[in-house]
């Protein structure tokens, strides 16, 4: 433990020599070298000491012995962990893998950077911008083309698959949540000691319970912090296992910057319990061209972490590995490799693949094949050199070989379906116990099929039919003597069946005419029964089978009789039910015929039913049956009485049934309810409506409005007790940038029969939101309170510099008009490896996007047009030097190079100084292809500037080429059909011909002199 002793000696010697606060010790800078001798890191030693309640940067000299013991334990524990720890596992797609790494799929993490680094985005291949709404059919790309499908992984953001926690209180934090200043925790002890305490972690990172020392929690996970606090409290309180708890009651609020291809880029302020996935959800998720596989979480001083949405969909638990810290950056790049799969697949969609992922991984992401997928000829549609081609893949052979089929961005994989249905079956239907299809073998006969189907008792044995489909798809009907087959299976009628034969067994039931009789209406159980062909059922029997008449059944009923030979002919026979039930020999007890229906009516059907209605300020408004002698007080009683706000009067709306005119009768409810004999207790008539008025109907509702720099602007109901302090408090108080001395109250002056006027009072409020003049400001109806902002109050406006500058990172703008050169100078200038020509400026504000730059000119000439005024959110990227040029388009490169060299149709070639575009096309791609055109050659410079070939008629001047430029050979324009027009032949004007020739020669000489001057 020589190291510990040297470290403690440095602690003691540092007392009084470092300008310390009274009674405190701070370790000198050279103690870090002592830690490194043991192979340890300064941060891990400090974190381990913090778990034991000791802040190494703030040691009390009186506790040296305690520090010595804790430090000895920490050194021993960390040294043992170092010896036993396995090699560091690589990070693959943002997820720690415990198994052996697959070098074909491992993404090497970027080296640590001082500030978040947003990588240079690649130019994607053209992708249709169509968006297919949820629950709608996919949109077609045209005749013969597959539908444009959704990108797998984007739907979880559009369907709100995540819940974003916007409230910092009442949060449920996981055990791996990292604590920091601003977090609030609650500690409960409920053993022999009883205590409930709440703490907020201060800016120094500790809490200090009463009568106890400081407990440093900054940087600890919630689980580790709980163990530390438990140990500390156990020294002062008496409690046993299960009698201590610590929870997070309020999460600190952090600001996260979401940049790149998201729907709503910018900064979001959320509680720290949210993960990177939640922050992405708050920004609307990736845009149509945003990646879901290579999302970066960037943190100052740490290597980037990669978040893969596909990994999250397989294992949602990985979300917990991406907790956020203040000022973290989440960058969503443009996808690099997008492939479509459709056809006989479970999830036909577009999928984003990463390096090392090809056809096998695509099928896995798409959920595998459906049962009828044809795997011997999977087709891949691919564009090669601007020509669409089709490649065939035998998937079974691919699996047997143990290999994979490489895919490129833009590929469309189509899995065909087995179209031809199975035919090795025969079908049995009709009067059998088990109808359906059965497997056909080579010697199967009709009797074999009937043994599987089992003839039903009602089957006809005299005849059956076999439907046979001929090769020409014509169906032939074969009559079968079923009885001879049943008697002798060797009968000639028991012939061998062929594929798709269908045996139809007839039923005797289908050849019997069935009818019913029924009874409906005022019966206990209306019924329908089968008709007895012996005609033994009468009306009395049908009533008894319906369990008799209801008490309110009418005396007479009608027998509806339908002619069975002509169902459009119907007769009605009147029946005296009471006579039928009294004497079964009565003539009304008629014999029932097929399809007869007995209709029994109720007595109420022959009487008029009237209601009365009560509405308004009663407890149970509604309709009630009218009865003679019903009065106003009775109807109010039926409605469960008056409501509290009921007025003293009501109105009866009475309809005159002859004239259809409504009469309004005013009723004094107080008198009607107090004295039933009062003339105000009016007797009601059928269809009367009693409308009880409410006192609130006669009261105007007034509001007070609060606007401006308050947290919750809105409108509040007015009351004479309402004061200015009250509405400002209900509005959440003043915002941080509010001007407390500029609170305006505009008031509407209302006078009888006079035009309204508006006056404004200017007030100043203190920190308690009370007026500083010492008097409470009383509000009046329709007052409008407006809180102004402090003049020119603005928060910092930041931009980001990344790449080859000496000090990359986030820089605040010092003025409204600070320019690019000023920010570059503050960043220490460009590094020797900087590629100034390739610098890019991305402006997110107002959706501008990328802006063409000339970094060298902007730095050298402060008045240059390229020395742009910086705006908040600008992202400036300076890449490393490039010494090559890209060539693509309609060239002959495909005849010279393999497909692996021409990735996406592009060829990388060395840079030649002072050479123009045509030189590269001829030297490295064997010239322009048949479909190409020299005048269509363009050069895209690294800064986004596009240069075209200049056409002077007889001469072409090709663009200059810089390092990192991209040369494109365009296609010829399609030939236009020209109609042959017969022209009249004029006499040749030789004078005009000579003059034109001299003019053309002069123009050619001028061009030659111009070209010489340019070169």
């Amino acid at each position: 433990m020589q190291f510990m002793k040297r470290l403690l000696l440095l602690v003691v010697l540092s007392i009084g020599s470092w300008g310390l606060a009274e009674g405190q010790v701070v370790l000198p800078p050279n103690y870090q070298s002592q830690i490194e001798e043991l192979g340890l890191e300064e941060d891990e030693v400090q974190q381990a000491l913090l778990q034991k309640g000791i802040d190494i940067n703030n040691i009390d000299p009186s506790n040296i012995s305690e520090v010595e013991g804790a430090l000895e334990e920490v050194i021993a524990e960390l040294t043992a962990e170092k010896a036993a720890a396995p090699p560091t596992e690589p990070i693959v797609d943002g997820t720690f893998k415990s198994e052996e790494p697959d070098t074909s799929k491992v993404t090497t993490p970027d080296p640590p950077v001082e500030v978040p680094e947003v990588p240079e985005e690649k130019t994607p291949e053209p992708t249709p911008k169509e968006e297919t709404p949820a629950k709608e059919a996919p949109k077609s790309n045209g005749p013969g083309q597959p539908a444009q499908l959704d990108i797998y992984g984007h739907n979880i953001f559009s369907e709100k698959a995540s819940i974003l926690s916007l409230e910092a209180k009442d949060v449920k934090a996981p055990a791996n949540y990292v604590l920091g200043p601003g977090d609030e925790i609650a500690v409960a002890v409920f053993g022999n000691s009883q205590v409930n305490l709440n703490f907020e972690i201060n800016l120094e990172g500790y809490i200090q319970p009463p009568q106890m020392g400081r407990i440093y929690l900054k940087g600890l996970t919630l689980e580790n912090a709980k163990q530390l606090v438990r140990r500390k409290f156990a020294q002062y309180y008496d409690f046993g296992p299960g009698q201590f708890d610590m929870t997070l009651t309020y999460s600190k609020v952090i600001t996260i910057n979401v940049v790149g291809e998201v729907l709503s880029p910018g900064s979001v302020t959320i509680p720290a319990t949210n993960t990177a996935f939640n922050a992405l959800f708050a920004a609307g998720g990736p845009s149509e061209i945003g990646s879901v596989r290579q999302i970066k979480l960037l943190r100052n001083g740490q290597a980037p972490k990669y978040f893969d949405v596909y990994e999250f969909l397989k294992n949602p638990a990985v979300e917990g590995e991406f907790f956020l810290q203040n000022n973290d950056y989440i960058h969503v790049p443009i996808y690099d490799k997008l492939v479509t799969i459709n056809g006989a697949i479970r999830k036909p969609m577009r999928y984003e693949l990463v390096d090392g992922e090809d056809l096998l991984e695509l099928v896995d992401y798409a959920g595998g094949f459906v049962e009828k997928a044809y795997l011997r000829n999977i087709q891949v549609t691919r564009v090669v050199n601007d020509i669409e081609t089709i490649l065939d893949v035998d998937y079974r052979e691919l699996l047997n070989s143990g290999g994979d089929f490489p895919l490129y961005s833009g590929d469309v994989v189509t899995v065909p379906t087995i179209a031809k249905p199975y035919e090795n079956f025969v079908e049995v239907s009709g009067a059998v116990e088990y109808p359906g299809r059965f497997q056909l073998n080579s010697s199967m006969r009709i009797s074999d099929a009937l043994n599987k189907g089992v003839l039903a008792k009602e089957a006809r044995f005299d005849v059956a039919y076999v439907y046979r489909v001929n090769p020409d798809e014509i169906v032939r009907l074969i009559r079968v003597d079923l009885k001879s087959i049943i008697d002798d299976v060797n009968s000639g009628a028991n012939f061998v069946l062929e594929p798709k034969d269908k045996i139809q067994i007839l039923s005797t039931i289908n050849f019997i005419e069935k009818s019913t009789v029924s009874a409906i209406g005022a019966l206990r159980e209306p019924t329908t029964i089968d008709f007895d062909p012996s005609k033994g059922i009468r009306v009395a029997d049908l009533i008894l089978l319906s369990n008799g008449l209801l008490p309110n059944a009418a005396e007479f009923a009608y027998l509806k009789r339908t002619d069975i030979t002509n169902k459009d002919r119907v007769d009605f026979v009147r029946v005296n039910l009471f006579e039928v039930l009294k004497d079964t020999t009565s003539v009304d007890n008629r014999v029932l015929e097929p399809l007869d229906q007995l209709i029994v009516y109720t007595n109420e059907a022959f009487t008029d039913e009237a209601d009365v209605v009560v509405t308004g300020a009663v407890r149970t408004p509604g309709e009630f049956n009218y009865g003679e002698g019903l009065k106003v007080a009775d109807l109010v009683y039926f409605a469960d009485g008056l409501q509290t706000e009921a007025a003293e009067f009501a109105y009866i709306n009475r309809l005159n049934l002859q004239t259809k005119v409504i009469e309004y009768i005013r009723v004094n409810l107080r008198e009607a309810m107090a004295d039933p004999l009062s003339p105000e207790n009016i007797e009601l008539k059928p269809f009367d409506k009693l409308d009880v008025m409410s006192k609130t109907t006669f009261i105007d509702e007034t509001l007070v409005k609060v606007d401006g720099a308050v947290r919750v602007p809105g409108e509040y109901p007015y009351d004479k007790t309402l004061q200015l302090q009250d509405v400002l408090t209900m509005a959440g108080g003043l915002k941080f940038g509010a001007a407390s001395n500029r609170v305006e109250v505009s008031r509407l002056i209302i006078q009888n029969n006079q035009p309204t006027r508006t006056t404004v009072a200017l007030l100043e409020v203190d920190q308690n939101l009370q007026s500083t003049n010492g008097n409470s400001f009383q509000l009046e109806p329709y007052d409008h309170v407006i809180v102004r902002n402090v003049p020119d109050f603005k928060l910092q406006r930041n931009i980001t510099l990344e790449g080859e500058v000496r000090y990359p990172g986030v820089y605040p703008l010092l003025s409204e008009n600070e320019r690019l050169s000023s920010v570059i100078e503050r960043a220490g200038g460009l590094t020797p490896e900087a590629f100034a020509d390739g610098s890019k400026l991305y402006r997110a504000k107002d959706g501008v996007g990328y802006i063409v730059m000339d970094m060298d000119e902007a730095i050298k000439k402060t008045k240059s047009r390229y020395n742009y005024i910086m705006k908040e959110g600008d992202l400036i990227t300076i890449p490393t030097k490039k010494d090559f040029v890209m060539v693509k388009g309609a060239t002959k490169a495909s005849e010279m190079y393999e497909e692996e060299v021409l990735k996406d149709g592009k060829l990388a070639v060395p840079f030649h100084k002072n050479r123009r575009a045509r030189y590269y096309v001829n030297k490295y791609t064997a010239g322009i292809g048949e479909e190409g055109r020299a005048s269509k050659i363009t050069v895209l410079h690294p800064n986004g500037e596009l240069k075209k070939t200049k056409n002077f008629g007889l001469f072409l001047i090709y663009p200059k080429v810089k390092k990192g430029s991209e040369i494109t050979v365009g296609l010829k324009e399609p030939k236009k059909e020209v109609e042959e027009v017969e022209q009249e032949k004029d006499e040749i004007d030789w004078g005009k011909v000579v003059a034109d020739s001299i003019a053309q020669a002069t123009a050619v000489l001028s061009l030659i002199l111009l070209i010489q001057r340019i070169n």
Side-chain angles (χ1 to χ4, degrees):
M1 287 291 119
Q2 285 296 107
F3 160 74
M4 183 194 71
K5 293 179 180 179
R6 289 199 301 269
L7 183 58
L8 289 175
L9 179 60
L10 290 171
V11 171
V12 175
L13 292 176
S14 64
I15 300 175
S17 61
W18 289 83
L20 306 173
E22 183 178 355
Q24 297 296 314
V25 178
V26 178
L27 293 178
N30 56 349
Y31 89 98
Q32 182 178 2
S33 60
Q34 306 292 334
I35 295 175
E36 294 174 351
E37 289 181 13
L38 295 179
L40 304 177
E41 296 291 336
E42 177 185 358
D43 289 341
E44 63 184 351
V45 174
Q46 291 189 14
Q47 291 296 332
L49 286 173
L50 278 175
Q51 294 183 23
K52 296 183 180 295
I54 297 174
D55 183 4
I56 200 168
N57 292 315
N58 198 4
I59 300 173
D60 190 337
S62 62
N63 293 333
I64 290 296
S65 60
E66 182 182 348
V67 175
E68 179 179 359
L71 186 57
E72 183 176 358
E73 293 177 6
V74 167
I75 297 301
E77 292 170 359
L78 293 179
T79 305
E81 290 177 3
K82 290 288 184 180
T88 304
E89 296 173 356
I91 299 177
V92 183
D93 294 335
T95 304
F96 291 95
K97 304 290 185 179
S98 59
E99 56 268 19
E100 290 294 325
D102 182 356
T103 56
S104 64
K105 300 182 182 180
V106 173
T107 303
T108 304
D110 292 344
V113 292
E114 293 182 350
V115 293
E117 176 183 281
V118 182
E120 179 179 348
E121 297 179 353
K122 298 180 180 179
T123 303
E125 294 185 2
T127 303
K129 284 289 185 180
E130 299 175 349
E131 293 183 2
T132 305
K135 300 183 181 179
E136 291 186 4
K139 297 181 181 178
S140 174
N141 288 338
Q145 297 295 323
Q148 181 68 52
L149 305 175
D150 290 336
I151 298 176
Y152 181 64
H154 281 202
N155 59 314
I156 64 175
F157 298 98
S158 61
E159 295 172 1
K160 304 187 183 305
S162 176
I163 298 176
L164 178 66
S165 175
L166 296 178
E167 292 293 335
K169 60 183 179 179
D170 300 328
V171 295
K172 179 65 175 176
N176 60 344
Y177 173 74
V178 180
L179 294 173
D183 284 334
E184 294 182 9
I185 61 174
V187 177
V189 176
F190 34 91
N192 294 330
S193 300
Q194 298 286 333
V195 62
N196 288 284
L197 299 173
N198 294 292
F199 304 100
E200 179 179 353
I201 301 176
N202 61 19
L203 296 177
E204 286 73 24
Y206 66 82
I207 63 173
Q208 187 164 10
Q211 310 302 323
M212 296 174 59
R214 297 175 179 177
I215 304 178
Y216 285 86
L217 302 180
K218 177 182 177 182
L220 298 181
T221 64
L222 184 60
E223 180 64 27
N224 292 338
K226 184 175 181 179
Q227 296 176 8
L228 174 61
V229 175
R230 178 187 176 90
R231 290 199 302 269
K232 292 293 185 181
F233 269 68
Q235 300 173 10
Y236 294 88
Y237 297 95
D238 183 15
F239 56 87
Q243 296 177 342
F244 173 87
D245 191 27
M246 187 187 88
T247 57
L248 180 71
T249 59
Y250 183 91
S251 170
K252 58 183 178 288
V253 178
I254 58 177
T255 298
I256 305 301
N257 305 291
V258 186
V259 297
E261 293 300 331
V262 292
L263 295 180
S264 301
S267 298
V268 293
T269 301
I270 55 178
T273 47
N274 290 286
T275 63
F277 183 75
N278 301 118
L280 271 177
F281 176 77
S287 67
E288 180 68 16
I289 60 174
S291 172
V292 292
R293 304 293 309 280
Q294 301 178 23
I295 301 169
K296 275 188 179 182
L297 172 59
L298 305 169
R299 184 169 296 155
N300 188 12
Q302 296 185 17
K305 292 186 69 174
Y306 292 85
F307 181 68
D308 188 342
V309 173
Y310 289 8
E311 186 70 22
F312 166 75
L313 292 174
K314 287 184 177 180
N315 180 20
V318 302
E319 182 187 12
E321 299 176 9
F322 294 88
F323 276 105
L324 302 170
Q325 294 183 12
N326 196 39
N327 289 327
D328 278 355
Y329 271 74
I330 296 175
H331 176 253
V332 179
I334 298 174
Y335 63 74
D336 185 46
K337 184 177 179 180
L338 193 66
V339 180
T340 303
I341 185 169
N342 51 36
I345 199 78
R346 285 190 171 89
K347 291 189 292 187
M349 298 184 78
R350 291 187 291 167
Y351 292 86
E352 181 184 350
L353 303 180
V354 298
D355 291 341
E357 293 184 344
D358 291 300
L359 182 59
L360 296 182
E361 286 80 4
L362 177 64
V363 172
D364 182 55
Y365 289 138
F369 304 106
V370 299
E371 288 71 14
K372 289 189 176 183
Y374 183 67
L375 304 183
R376 297 198 176 192
N377 188 29
I378 295 178
Q379 294 187 333
V380 179
T381 305
R382 178 176 297 166
V383 176
V384 180
N385 293 331
D386 300 330
I387 298 175
E388 188 174 57
T389 60
I390 295 179
L391 306 174
D392 293 336
V393 180
D394 188 332
Y395 192 79
R396 297 187 186 278
E397 181 179 339
L398 187 68
L399 291 178
N400 293 333
S401 67
D404 203 346
F405 183 81
L407 296 176
Y408 299 98
S409 187
D411 283 357
V412 178
V413 180
T414 303
V415 183
T417 303
I418 298 174
K420 187 176 180 181
Y422 66 93
E423 296 182 353
N424 63 327
F425 71 91
V426 293
E427 185 175 355
V428 181
S429 62
V432 292
E433 298 290 343
Y434 307 105
R437 293 181 175 183
F438 303 99
Q439 179 183 352
L440 173 69
N441 54 47
S442 59
S443 60
M444 191 173 188
R445 297 177 180 272
I446 294 177
S447 60
D448 300 323
L450 294 180
N451 288 336
K452 292 179 179 291
V454 182
L455 291 173
K457 292 186 294 185
E458 66 271 15
R460 286 185 57 172
F461 292 166
D462 57 334
V463 66
Y465 290 94
V466 174
Y467 295 86
R468 177 163 291 172
V469 181
N470 294 334
D472 57 3
E473 297 299 326
I474 296 177
V475 178
R476 185 161 61 98
L477 187 64
I478 304 173
R479 183 185 179 93
V480 177
D481 185 354
L482 189 59
K483 187 176 185 305
S484 64
I485 296 175
I486 294 173
D487 294 340
D488 182 9
V489 294
N490 295 320
S491 168
N494 193 20
F495 53 80
V496 176
L497 296 172
E498 296 183 2
K500 299 197 294 184
D501 278 357
K502 179 180 178 181
I503 305 173
Q504 179 72 37
I505 306 299
L506 304 179
S507 172
T508 57
I509 297 175
N510 296 333
F511 298 89
I512 298 175
E513 187 68 32
K514 284 188 174 182
S515 299
T516 60
V517 291
S518 60
I520 62 173
L523 300 157
R524 287 187 172 87
E525 292 186 11
T527 187
T528 299
I529 61 174
D530 292 332
F531 173 72
D532 182 5
S534 64
K535 296 187 177 182
I537 299 180
R538 295 176 177 267
V539 172
D541 301 320
L542 190 57
I543 295 174
L544 293 175
L545 290 171
S546 301
N547 291 332
L549 301 172
L550 290 175
N552 62 338
E555 180 178 0
F556 293 96
Y558 279 89
L559 190 64
K560 179 182 177 183
R561 177 156 289 172
T562 304
D563 189 342
I564 195 170
T565 60
N566 182 9
K567 294 184 179 181
D568 291 335
R569 181 177 176 182
V570 178
D571 294 328
F572 289 91
V573 181
R574 182 183 173 98
V575 177
N576 189 317
L577 296 179
F578 294 172
E579 285 292 329
V580 167
L581 295 177
K582 181 179 179 181
D583 181 10
T584 56
T585 63
S586 168
V587 294
D588 284 333
N589 193 20
R590 297 177 179 270
V591 175
L592 298 180
E593 299 288 342
L595 305 181
D596 276 0
Q597 184 180 61
L598 181 66
I599 305 173
V600 182
Y601 297 95
T602 63
N603 291 318
E604 289 82 3
F606 302 96
T607 58
D608 292 330
E609 183 177 349
D611 292 330
V612 289
V613 179
V614 58
T615 61
V618 291
R619 290 189 174 88
T620 310
E623 294 184 4
F624 300 93
N625 292 331
Y626 172 77
E628 292 186 6
L630 185 68
K631 295 187 177 183
V632 169
D634 302 323
L635 187 57
V636 172
Y637 177 77
F638 293 162
D640 297 329
L642 299 173
Q643 293 182 353
T644 306
E645 64 271 17
E648 294 183 356
F649 56 91
Y651 281 93
I652 297 174
N653 301 344
R654 179 165 291 168
L655 176 66
N656 188 316
L657 298 178
Q658 281 73 34
T659 63
K660 302 298 181 182
V661 175
I662 295 179
E663 177 186 4
Y664 293 93
I665 304 171
R666 185 182 176 99
V667 178
N668 188 315
L669 281 179
R670 174 178 290 184
E671 292 186 18
M673 301 298 294
D675 183 7
L677 300 178
S678 168
E680 294 294 328
N681 193 20
I682 299 174
E683 184 174 342
L684 299 175
K685 293 185 178 181
F687 307 109
D688 276 358
K689 176 184 176 183
L690 180 65
D691 187 8
V692 180
M693 308 302 293
S694 173
K695 295 176 182 177
T696 59
T697 306
F698 306 95
I699 301 175
D700 291 330
E701 182 181 1
T702 57
L703 300 172
V704 174
K705 189 175 182 181
V706 183
D707 271 331
V710 292
R711 293 184 176 87
V712 189
E715 295 181 342
Y716 302 92
Y718 172 76
D719 184 77
K720 60 183 179 180
T721 61
L722 196 63
Q723 298 181 0
L724 178 62
Q725 181 189 20
D726 301 325
V727 295
L728 291 179
T729 303
M730 289 187 289
L734 306 186
K735 289 184 177 179
F736 182 71
S740 60
N741 61 343
R742 296 289 298 187
V743 179
E744 296 181 4
V745 180
S746 63
R747 177 164 294 169
L748 195 65
I749 306 300
I750 304 174
Q751 296 178 343
N752 291 335
N753 303 321
Q754 296 293 325
T756 59
R757 294 184 299 108
T758 301
T759 62
V760 177
L762 181 61
L763 304 170
E764 179 178 356
V765 296
D766 57 19
Q767 60 181 3
N768 295 322
L769 304 179
Q770 291 184 333
S771 176
T772 56
N773 61 13
N775 298 323
S776 298
F777 190 85
Q778 182 68 41
L779 296 177
E780 294 186 4
Y782 306 110
D783 276 359
H784 187 182
V785 181
I786 304 174
V787 181
R788 305 296 181 186
N789 285 300
V790 174
D792 296 327
F793 177 81
K794 294 180 180 178
L795 297 174
Q796 296 95 327
R797 299 177 301 115
N798 296 331
I799 67 168
T800 303
L801 276 177
E802 65 176 24
E804 296 300 326
V805 290
R806 295 191 181 276
Y807 303 102
V810 177
Y811 285 83
L813 295 177
L814 302 182
S815 67
E816 291 285 343
N817 299 316
E818 185 171 11
R819 294 185 178 271
L820 173 63
S821 60
S822 172
V823 179
I824 297 295
E825 181 180 358
R826 289 165 55 197
L830 307 183
T831 67
E833 295 299 320
F835 184 39
D837 288 343
S839 300
K840 292 184 178 180
L841 169 58
Y842 180 82
R843 179 159 293 169
K845 189 173 183 180
D846 300 327
V848 174
Y850 286 100
I851 302 175
V852 174
M853 290 184 62
D854 188 333
M855 180 64 76
D856 281 336
E857 183 176 331
I859 295 175
K860 294 175 182 178
K861 301 177 182 179
T862 57
K863 295 184 179 181
S864 167
R865 64 173 63 90
Y866 296 106
N867 193 17
Y868 298 111
I869 296 175
M870 296 290 95
K871 301 295 183 183
E872 182 179 8
D874 281 357
L875 174 63
I876 304 160
T877 306
I878 300 97
T880 55
K881 290 182 178 178
K882 295 182 179 179
D883 54 358
F884 61 88
V885 175
M886 301 296 293
V887 184
K888 69 174 186 177
T891 68
K892 298 179 180 179
S894 59
E895 302 173 7
M896 301 176 58
Y897 303 99
E898 297 293 335
E899 187 176 348
E900 293 79 12
V901 178
L902 292 173
K903 185 176 181 181
D904 299 328
K906 296 181 180 179
L907 179 66
V909 301
F911 172 74
H912 294 265
K913 190 175 182 180
N914 296 330
R915 292 292 187 176
R916 294 181 179 268
R918 184 61 185 264
Y919 171 82
Y920 293 89
V921 174
N922 292 338
K923 181 175 179 63
Y924 292 103
T925 67
I928 300 173
E930 294 182 0
E931 299 297 325
R933 185 165 184 174
S935 61
K936 296 292 185 178
I937 294 177
T938 60
V939 175
L940 180 64
H941 292 310
N943 65 346
E945 188 177 11
L946 182 67
K947 295 292 185 181
K948 298 181 180 180
T949 297
K950 297 180 180 179
N951 191 343
F952 292 97
L954 299 177
F955 298 95
L956 297 176
I957 299 180
Y958 300 98
K960 292 182 179 180
V961 179
K962 299 179 181 179
K963 290 183 179 180
S965 296
E966 186 176 278
I967 303 169
T968 303
V969 180
L971 297 172
K972 294 179 181 178
E973 296 180 356
K975 294 182 179 180
K976 298 180 180 179
E977 296 183 0
V978 181
E979 297 181 356
E980 294 183 358
V981 180
E982 188 175 333
Q983 300 178 350
E984 296 183 359
K985 295 183 179 179
D986 298 331
E987 293 186 4
I988 299 175
D989 187 349
W990 291 104
K992 185 175 184 303
V993 170
V994 172
D996 290 343
S997 300
I998 294 173
Q1000 291 180 1
T1002 304
V1004 170
L1005 290 175
S1006 299
L1007 284 173
I1008 294 173
L1009 293 174
L1010 177 61
I1011 293 171
Q1012 290 175 348
R1013 291 184 62 188
I1014 292 175
N1015 291 331

